[in-house]
Amino acid sequence: MNAMLLSLLAELFPRGITQYLVGGLFVGLGIAVIYLGTGIIAGNSTLLETTLSYVSDLPRFQRKKYVRSRDWRVVFALSIVAGAALYGLVFTPGIFVTDVQWWRLLGGGVPVGIGTRIGKGCTSGHGVSGIASLSRTSIVNVLLFIGVAIVTALIAAALGVTP
Amino acid sequence: MSTTTHHPLFTLVIIVGGLLHGFGLAYSRMARPEIVLDFLQLEDLGLLFVMGGAALVMGFAIHLGTGVLEIVPLTGNRYAKREKSYDRNVVVGGIVFGVGWGLSGICPGAGYASLGIGNYEILWGLAGMFIGAYLQGLWRARRDSTDRESPATGD
C-alpha cells in the first residue's frame, strides 16, 4: 500500500514538490508584502495595459487609474526581473534559455495578452489574490483558464509539437 | 486600488515585494515555460503547489488586513479583498487566456521573471502579450465608439 502511494506520488510529482511549494510561498509573500504595506493587490497583467499608456492615446489605456498606477507597476515588473535574476545568480549560475519554439511563445503570448485584459486578471491576480479572496469571479476564471490550457497543451503535444 | 501615494516608503515596499515575487517565480520554476507545459500536459502536477502555496500566504495576508489591521499604515485606506465584478468577460477572457497559456506555457508574471533568469527567447512571448493587450484596447475603443452604453470593466 505504501509502495503504491509512493509510486503514485512519484508519477504525479516526478520532480518532487519542495521547489514548487517554497517558490509558491515566496510568490505569495511578495504580493502579501505589497498588500500589507500599501493595501494594493498587485497583479501582473495590468502592467501590459498601463505601460501602453506611455505610447498610445487610446482611451482604454489612458484611463485615470491606469495612468496613476503605471509608474509603480513598471517598478514592480523590473523588481520581478531583478528578483528572478537574484535567484539565478545564487542558485543556478549561468543563464537559462527556453527550448520552447519562438512561434509558440509569440503565438501564445497574443491570446495571453488579450485574455488577461478582457478577463480582468491572470495567474497572479485571479490565481493567487482572487483565490485567496475566495472570489467567485476568480474561481470561475481560474478553473476555465487551467482547463482550457490543459486541453490546448495536450492537443499541441498530440500534434507532435515539442517543445 | 486608488492610491498613488508618494509616501517615502511606497516605492521601497513595491521593490521588496517585486523582488520576493520574482525570486519565487524563478525558484518555483514557473519562469521556465517547459515546466509549465509539463504541468499542463499532466506530466508533473507540482505547479499546483506554487499556486496553492502562494494563495495560502496571500490568504493569510488578506485575513490579517481585512480582519485585524483594517487600516493601511502608509495610506490610511482600508484593506479589501480582491473582488472583481462577474460578467461574460470573465468567462471569455479566461478561455482566451487558457488557449495562450496552453500554447506557450507563459503568463505575465512568469514572463517577466523568465527574463530575469536570462531567457531572452521569452521576449517573443512578452512582445506577444503587449500586442494582445494593444489589440483588445483597439477592439474596445472601436466597440465603445459604436456602443454608447458601454459598461466600464476590467481592473
Side-chain angles (χ1 to χ4, degrees):
Chain A
M1 198 62 196
N2 244 343
M4 258 178 68
L5 190 67
L6 282 178
S7 79
L8 181 70
L9 282 178
E11 190 158 322
L12 296 179
F13 306 102
R15 298 183 184 89
I17 60 168
T18 311
Q19 75 274 25
Y20 297 119
L21 183 60
V22 172
L25 295 176
F26 274 100
V27 168
L29 187 63
I31 313 178
V33 163
I34 292 175
Y35 175 74
L36 290 175
T38 69
I40 293 173
I41 298 182
N44 280 317
S45 57
T46 312
L47 173 91
L48 304 170
E49 271 185 293
T50 57
T51 302
L52 286 168
S53 74
Y54 290 110
V55 294
S56 167
D57 291 334
L58 275 181
R60 173 76 197 171
F61 306 129
Q62 291 297 333
R63 292 184 304 166
K64 257 191 206 140
K65 63 175 175 180
Y66 279 8
V67 173
R68 265 184 311 190
S69 72
R70 63 186 183 181
D71 290 344
W72 74 254
R73 289 184 191 281
V74 170
V75 172
F76 181 48
L78 291 176
S79 304
I80 291 172
V81 175
L86 200 66
Y87 165 83
L89 292 172
V90 174
F91 289 91
T92 53
I95 67 170
F96 167 84
V97 180
T98 186
D99 289 326
V100 175
Q101 301 171 71
W102 70 270
W103 62 267
R104 286 189 85 169
L105 299 172
L106 181 63
V110 173
V112 163
I114 296 173
T116 59
R117 298 327 303 139
I118 291 180
K120 312 176 189 187
C122 61
T123 26
S124 63
H126 280 309
V128 177
S129 301
I131 295 288
S133 300
L134 300 178
S135 151
R136 179 178 92 112
T137 298
S138 292
I139 291 168
V140 170
N141 187 272
V142 170
L143 290 178
L144 272 172
F145 76 62
I146 291 184
V148 171
I150 287 174
V151 171
T152 306
L154 288 175
I155 289 174
L159 292 174
V161 181
T162 51
Chain B
M1 187 80 76
S2 63
T3 178
T4 42
T5 181
H6 289 94
H7 191 286
L9 288 177
F10 179 81
T11 304
L12 182 68
V13 172
I14 297 288
I15 291 173
V16 171
L19 286 172
L20 290 166
H21 191 63
F23 182 88
L25 285 165
Y27 196 105
S28 69
R29 319 297 198 265
M30 251 194 107
R32 302 181 177 208
E34 285 89 338
I35 300 284
V36 177
L37 289 174
D38 272 358
F39 166 71
L40 295 174
Q41 288 160 201
L42 307 176
E43 288 163 10
D44 180 351
L45 302 187
L47 241 56
L48 289 174
F49 285 89
V50 182
M51 199 179 272
L56 201 70
V57 173
M58 190 54 187
F60 180 73
I62 288 174
H63 183 74
L64 187 65
T66 57
V68 181
L69 302 172
E70 294 184 4
I71 304 295
V72 184
L74 288 194
T75 64
N77 293 342
R78 293 187 78 84
Y79 286 106
K81 295 184 176 182
R82 188 184 196 275
E83 309 248 54
K84 302 277 179 187
S85 59
Y86 180 82
D87 53 38
R88 198 175 53 178
N89 281 341
V90 173
V91 174
V92 174
I95 291 171
V96 175
F97 174 38
V99 169
W101 199 37
L103 187 63
S104 62
I106 63 169
C107 58
Y112 316 149
S114 200
L115 204 55
I117 56 175
N119 185 14
Y120 54 85
E121 288 281 343
I122 206 72
L123 289 170
W124 288 109
L126 294 176
M129 285 187 224
F130 278 102
I131 292 169
Y134 183 72
L135 289 177
Q136 68 83 38
L138 260 186
W139 168 68
R140 287 183 177 206
R142 196 161 299 168
R143 187 196 58 178
D144 289 353
S145 66
T146 56
D147 180 10
R148 60 198 162 80
E149 200 183 25
S150 54
T153 56
D155 43 346

